[in-house]
C-alpha cells in the first residue's frame, strides 16, 4: 500500500520550512489577523451555548462508538447507498482512489470536472493526476479557487487561502481571469468568482465532492459550506463522485444533530452553516443521474489500530485547533508540508505516513493544551503528540542534539553524587555567561536555546544542600 498525504513525503522538515515562513511578515500578519477574527467569532457563539460541554462529550462518544464498530457501519453505509442507487468503491490508498476517479471520467469521455470541499483529494494529490490524464479540474469553493488560481497550496483546513489578503486575491483574479478592472471590496471579488464559476457549473458534466459526514443508516453524504457553490457542484452535474475518508461515517441521521451544532460554531463562528447539503443515491430527473462514493483508507486503518492515538480519527476538520495554536499562528499551514496543518496535521500526517517522512511534526507544538481545550470532539492532541514523540525516539529518529542531551541528563540523574558534581561544575561553568542574574547568551549548540529566550542560572544551592544545611543547623 502506498500512502501519500499530498506532497508531505517530499516536504522539508518542520523547522526548516518554519524558519523561512516566519521571516515573511506579510504572511504572519495575514494569518494572525484571520485567526484572531475567527477565534473571536467562535468564542462568542460557543459562550452562548449552556450545554457546549455536554455537546462536546456527545460528539466524542458518537465518534468513539463509530470507530469501535467502523467495519459494521461502513458495510451498512455501502448497503444503504447501493439501495438508493449509488455505487460504492473501496480505495485502499491514494493511488487506488485516483485511478477510480480517472476511470470514471474516461468512461464518460469527459475532460473537465468541477470540484468542491475535497481536502481528501488534496491528500491523494488528485489534481496532479487529473492534469496528467488530460482532465482540467476547476475548484469551486472560493478559497480553494484562490489557491488554485494562485498556483499556491492550502494553508488552513477550513479557510485554505487564509494566508492571502484581499489585495493579493484581487491581483490573482485580475491576472488569471483576464480581467481589465476589479475593485478590492469583498463583494467585487466574490462577484468576479461568481462570473468565472457560473458558466462552469452549467457546462461541466462531472462533479467531485468531499464529505463532512456519511450516514450509515441512510447511505447519505453531507457537505456543509457557506457559499452555495457546493450545493451547485453536487446538484448540477450529471455524474457526482464523492471522495470520502472512512472516518467520516456516522451511524444515524440523528447523530448529525450533534455535529451540525459543533462544526459551524467551531469552524467559522457561525450558529449554523448557510448551506447543509445532503444527497442519498439518485432520483430520476433530479440532480446527478449517476452517483459514486469512493471510501478511502490511505493509512486510516493503521491509525485505527493504535489505541493510544485512534481518537485522531474523531476529527471533524473544524480548524479550531489551528486558530488557537501559538505555533501555527506564527508559521501558517505551509510549514507542515501537508494538506493538514496545525495541531491536527502534526498528529494526523505522521500517523498516515507511519512516521516515515514526518518525524519532525510531533515536535511542532509547545504542548500548551489550547488545541485540546477548543476541540469540539475533545481529541487530546497534546497526549497524542507525546505518544508520537515516543515513537520517534523508539525508531531512533530523535534529533541528534536531543539524543545527546538526554544521554547526558541520564548520566547525571541516575546517581545523586554525579548530579551534585554536575551542579557544582555548572555553577562554575556558567560564571562567564551570567549578567544581571540572567544568562542571555550561551556558546555553540546551546546558543540555539538562548537565541530566543533567557535562561535562569543554576541556583547557588541545590535543594539537597539546603536540606542538609537545615538539618545541621537544627542539631
Ligand atoms: S482536531 Fe479537533 S479542533 Fe482540530 S480540526 Fe479536528 S475537530 Fe477541529
Amino acid at each position: 500500500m502506498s500512502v501519500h498525504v499530498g506532497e508531505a513525503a517530499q516536504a522539508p522538515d518542520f523547522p526548516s520550512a518554519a524558519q523561512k515562513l516566519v521571516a515573511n511578515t506579510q504572511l504572519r500578519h495575514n494569518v494572525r489577523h484571520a485567526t484572531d477574527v475567527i477565534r473571536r467569532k467562535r468564542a462568542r457563539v460557543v459562550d452562548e451555548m449552556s450545554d457546549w460541554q455536554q455537546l462536546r462529550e456527545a460528539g466524542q462518544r458518537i465518534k468513539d462508538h463509530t470507530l469501535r464498530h467502523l467495519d459494521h457501519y461502513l458495510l451498512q453505509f455501502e448497503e444503504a447507498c447501493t439501495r438508493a442507487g449509488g455505487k460504492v468503491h473501496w480505495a485502499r490508498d491514494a493511488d487506488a482512489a485516483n485511478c477510480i476517479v480517472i476511470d470514471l471520467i474516461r468512461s464518460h469521455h469527459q475532460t473537465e470536472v468541477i470540484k468542491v470541499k475535497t481536502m481528501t483529494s488534496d491528500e491523494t494529490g488528485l489534481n496532479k493526476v487529473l492534469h496528467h490524464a488530460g482532465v482540467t479540474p476547476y475548484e469551486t469553493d472560493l478559497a480553494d479557487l484562490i489557491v488554485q488560481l494562485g498556483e499556491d497550496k492550502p494553508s488552513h483546513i477550513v479557510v485554505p487561502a487564509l494566508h492571502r489578503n484581499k489585495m493579493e486575491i484581487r491581483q490573482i483574479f485580475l491576472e488569471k481571469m483576464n480581467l481589465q478592472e476589479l475593485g478590492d471590496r469583498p463583494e467585487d471579488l466574490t462577484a468576479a468568482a461568481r462570473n468565472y464559476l457560473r458558466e462552469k457549473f452549467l457546462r461541466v458534466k462531472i462533479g467531485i465532492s468531499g464529505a463532512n459526514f456519511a450516514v450509515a443508516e441512510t447511505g447519505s453524504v453531507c457537505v456543509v459550506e457557506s457559499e452555495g457553490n457546493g450545493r451547485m457542484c453536487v446538484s448540477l452535474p450529471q455524474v457526482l463522485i464523492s471522495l470520502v475518508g472512512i472516518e467520516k461515517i456516522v451511524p444515524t441521521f440523528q447523530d448529525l444533530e450533534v455535529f451540525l451544532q459543533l462544526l459551524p460554531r467551531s469552524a467559522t463562528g457561525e450558529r449554523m452553516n448557510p448551506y447543509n447539503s445532503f444527497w442519498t443515491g439518485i432520483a430520476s430527473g433530479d440532480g446527478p443521474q449517476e452517483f459514486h462514493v469512493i471510501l478511502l483508507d490511505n493509512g486510516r486503518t493503521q491509525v485505527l489500530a493504535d489505541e493510544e492515538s485512534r481518537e485522531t480519527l474523531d476529527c471533524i476538520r473544524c480548524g479550531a485547533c489551528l486558530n488557537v495554536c501559538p505555533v501555527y499562528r506564527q508559521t501558517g499551514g505551509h510549514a507542515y508540508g501537508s494538506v493538514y496543518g496545525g495541531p491536527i496535521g502534526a498528529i494526523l500526517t505522521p500517523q498516515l505516513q507511519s512516521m516515515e517522512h514526518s518525524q519532525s511534526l510531533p515536535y511542532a507544538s509547545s504542548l500548551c493544551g489550547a488545541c485540546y481545550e477548543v476541540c469540539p470532539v475533545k481529541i487530546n492532541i497534546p497526549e497524542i503528540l507525546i505518544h508520537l514523540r515516543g515513537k520517534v525516539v523508539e525508531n531512533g529518529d530523535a534529533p541528534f542534539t536531543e539524543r545527546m542531551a538526554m544521554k547526558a541528563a541520564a548520566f547525571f540523574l541516575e546517581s545523586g553524587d554525579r548530579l551534585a558534581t554536575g551542579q557544582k561544575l555548572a555553577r562554575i561553568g556558567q560564571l562567564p555567561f551570567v549578567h544581571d542574574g540572567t544568562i542571555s547568551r550561551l556558546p555553540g549548540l546551546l546558543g540555539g536555546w538562548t537565541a530566543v529566550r533567557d535562561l535562569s542560572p543554576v541556583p547557588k544551592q541545590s535543594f539537597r544542600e539546603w536540606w542538609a544545611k537545615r538539618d545541621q543547623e537544627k542539631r
Side-chain angles (χ1 to χ4, degrees):
M1 183 164 70
S2 82
V3 171
H4 30 107
V5 186
E7 288 169 4
Q10 292 91 43
D13 63 17
F14 184 85
S16 324
Q19 201 166 20
K20 279 191 196 141
L21 289 161
V22 291
N24 185 339
T25 46
Q26 180 65 60
L27 178 135
R28 287 171 69 191
H29 172 81
N30 295 350
V31 172
R32 262 208 307 272
H33 173 71
T35 50
D36 278 346
V37 171
I38 306 174
R39 280 170 64 169
R40 273 198 299 273
K41 284 175 72 185
R42 176 201 167 272
R44 216 170 28 237
V45 294
V46 164
D47 280 353
E48 67 190 21
M49 299 282 286
S50 56
D51 60 349
W52 184 251
Q53 293 309 325
Q54 287 95 317
L55 265 176
R56 287 177 80 205
E57 275 153 26
Q60 186 189 33
R61 268 199 307 274
I62 295 168
K63 282 286 183 179
D64 184 52
H65 167 84
T66 314
L67 289 180
R68 281 179 195 282
H69 305 282
L70 192 58
D71 50 346
H72 166 76
Y73 287 120
L74 284 168
L75 291 175
Q76 191 186 4
F77 174 84
E78 180 182 33
E79 201 187 313
C81 180
T82 310
R83 210 181 317 123
K87 178 156 175 40
V88 174
H89 307 256
W90 298 83
R92 190 183 158 93
D93 56 21
D95 293 338
N98 292 342
C99 281
I100 295 167
V101 175
I102 297 290
D103 286 349
L104 287 170
I105 297 170
R106 285 197 175 135
S107 70
H108 288 277
H109 311 290
Q110 295 300 306
T111 56
E112 295 175 311
V113 291
I114 48 175
K115 292 177 69 210
V116 79
K117 290 276 166 199
T118 48
M119 205 173 4
T120 323
S121 81
D122 291 333
E123 178 186 322
T124 66
L126 179 62
N127 280 6
K128 220 178 194 177
V129 177
L130 288 173
H131 280 299
H132 214 251
V135 177
T136 308
Y138 299 109
E139 297 291 348
T140 66
D141 178 86
L142 180 58
D144 285 326
L145 176 69
I146 296 164
V147 169
Q148 186 181 37
L149 293 180
E151 295 170 36
D152 202 349
K153 289 186 178 138
S155 67
H156 190 279
I157 62 179
V158 175
V159 197
L162 169 130
H163 58 291
R164 296 286 198 185
N165 62 28
K166 60 182 180 180
M167 295 313 288
E168 291 173 304
I169 297 168
R170 176 179 175 270
Q171 200 50 41
I172 292 170
F173 281 9
L174 273 171
E175 281 169 24
K176 296 297 168 72
M177 293 179 184
N178 289 323
L179 303 174
Q180 299 303 316
E181 278 183 24
L182 180 61
D184 60 8
R185 296 172 309 159
E187 48 270 42
D188 297 326
L189 302 174
T190 49
R194 187 180 304 126
N195 283 341
Y196 177 81
L197 289 173
R198 277 288 152 95
E199 170 270 333
K200 293 173 179 55
F201 281 129
L202 296 171
R203 176 168 53 81
V204 178
K205 293 190 169 44
I206 299 186
I208 299 179
S209 85
N212 290 99
F213 305 101
V215 185
E217 162 186 70
T218 56
S220 312
V221 178
C222 165
V223 158
V224 301
E225 37 122 18
S226 305
E227 298 158 10
N229 292 349
R231 174 76 51 89
M232 287 200 267
C233 197
V234 300
S235 57
L236 289 175
Q238 289 171 10
V239 179
L240 175 59
I241 305 168
S242 299
L243 183 56
V244 183
I246 53 173
E247 81 284 15
K248 295 290 172 68
I249 295 281
V250 293
T252 67
F253 217 84
Q254 196 172 355
D255 293 329
L256 293 180
E257 176 192 339
V258 173
F259 295 114
L260 293 185
Q261 292 187 73
L262 288 172
L263 181 55
R265 285 173 197 262
S266 303
T268 46
E270 291 167 301
R271 294 188 180 92
M272 190 181 162
N273 283 103
Y275 293 88
N276 296 281
S277 301
F278 302 87
W279 57 102
T280 310
I282 54 170
S284 178
D286 183 13
Q289 294 301 294
E290 200 176 307
F291 172 45
H292 299 268
V293 179
I294 303 171
L295 291 173
L296 176 72
D297 180 345
N298 202 34
R300 285 160 174 77
T301 43
Q302 240 159 239
V303 184
L304 192 65
D306 186 339
E307 283 197 23
E308 289 190 61
S309 57
R310 175 186 295 163
E311 62 180 313
T312 307
L313 297 178
D314 290 357
C315 176
I316 55 172
R317 308 280 189 268
C318 72
C321 57
L322 282 72
N323 303 333
V324 296
C325 176
V327 177
Y328 173 88
R329 280 163 55 78
Q330 293 299 324
T331 63
H334 293 158
Y336 296 78
S338 154
V339 52
Y340 303 113
I344 181 61
I347 59 171
L348 182 59
T349 307
Q351 292 188 79
L352 290 179
Q353 292 192 323
S354 316
M355 311 291 294
E356 215 177 307
H357 303 287
S358 321
Q359 301 99 331
S360 64
L361 288 180
Y363 294 88
S365 167
S366 63
L367 299 180
C368 68
C371 47
Y372 180 35
E373 270 174 42
V374 293
C375 178
V377 284
K378 297 185 78 170
I379 301 174
N380 195 334
I381 296 176
E383 241 179 56
I384 299 175
L385 284 165
I386 291 168
H387 171 63
L388 296 177
R389 287 181 189 186
K391 282 193 168 182
V392 174
V393 174
E394 267 169 34
N395 294 349
D397 291 328
F400 175 75
T401 42
E402 186 183 307
R403 272 187 283 142
M404 290 301 109
M406 288 301 157
K407 273 197 180 145
F411 177 77
F412 285 108
L413 291 173
E414 66 192 6
S415 141
D417 288 343
R418 273 188 227 154
L419 180 62
T421 312
Q423 283 165 331
K424 277 184 195 142
L425 288 174
R427 261 178 233 133
I428 297 165
Q430 73 185 357
L431 286 176
F433 307 104
V434 180
H435 299 289
D436 299 329
T438 305
I439 298 174
S440 306
R441 199 163 53 84
L442 283 171
L445 281 178
L446 297 172
W449 179 267
T450 48
V452 287
R453 54 177 93 70
D454 289 341
L455 195 64
S456 295
V458 179
K460 289 196 176 96
Q461 194 177 37
S462 72
F463 176 76
R464 279 174 191 233
E465 287 162 349
W466 172 80
W467 191 262
K469 199 172 161 201
R470 182 175 158 273
D471 269 1
Q472 261 177 9
E473 283 168 1
K474 269 189 184 172
R475 268 188 237 130

